């Protein structure tokens, strides 16, 4: 008979990306811009904190793809178009 031994390993390897998070006040004026190199699940905390402080925050990756937002989008920024 043959004995098969399987080894499993767990890694904490995270895939990291560059993001640009911009915070706006209620009038749609830029209040803060943060450039981050992090895992996708880590930008939510930063966006949430910035939206709590300023009113609205949104994030884009290096390909200018919208990857998230928190808060109430100011009317002066116009309606977000999702393609």
């Amino acid at each position: 008979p043959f004995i098969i031994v399987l080894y499993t390993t767990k890694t904490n390897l995270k895939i990291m990306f560059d993001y640009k998070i911009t915070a706006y006040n209620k009038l749609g004026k830029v209040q803060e811009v943060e450039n981050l190199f992090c895992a996708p699940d880590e930008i939510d905390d930063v966006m949430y904190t910035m939206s709590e402080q300023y009113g609205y925050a949104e994030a884009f990756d290096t390909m200018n793809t919208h990857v998230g937002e928190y808060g109430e989008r100011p009317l002066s920024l116009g309606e977000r178009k999702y393609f």
Side-chain angles (χ1 to χ4, degrees):
F2 291 98
I3 298 175
I4 299 174
V5 178
L6 297 176
Y7 294 98
T8 59
T9 59
K10 184 177 179 181
T11 64
N12 291 329
L13 180 66
K14 287 188 174 186
I15 298 174
M16 309 287 270
F17 297 98
D18 285 312
Y19 296 101
K20 178 181 176 182
I21 302 174
T22 307
Y24 301 88
N25 66 9
K26 302 243 183 247
L27 301 174
K29 304 276 187 204
V30 174
Q31 301 298 301
E32 185 176 345
V33 177
E34 190 83 32
N35 292 301
L36 299 174
F37 182 69
C38 63
D41 60 340
E42 296 172 354
I43 63 170
D44 289 334
D45 293 336
V46 177
M47 279 192 302
Y48 178 77
T49 302
M50 290 171 82
S51 73
E52 286 290 305
Q53 186 174 3
Y54 300 112
Y56 177 73
E58 63 183 351
F60 291 88
D61 64 11
T62 54
M63 305 274 293
N64 207 28
T65 303
H66 183 261
V67 293
E69 62 188 331
Y70 274 95
E72 188 173 328
R73 185 175 176 82
L75 293 175
S76 62
L77 295 179
E79 187 177 334
R80 166 140 316 280
K81 304 256 191 251
Y82 297 96
F83 298 100

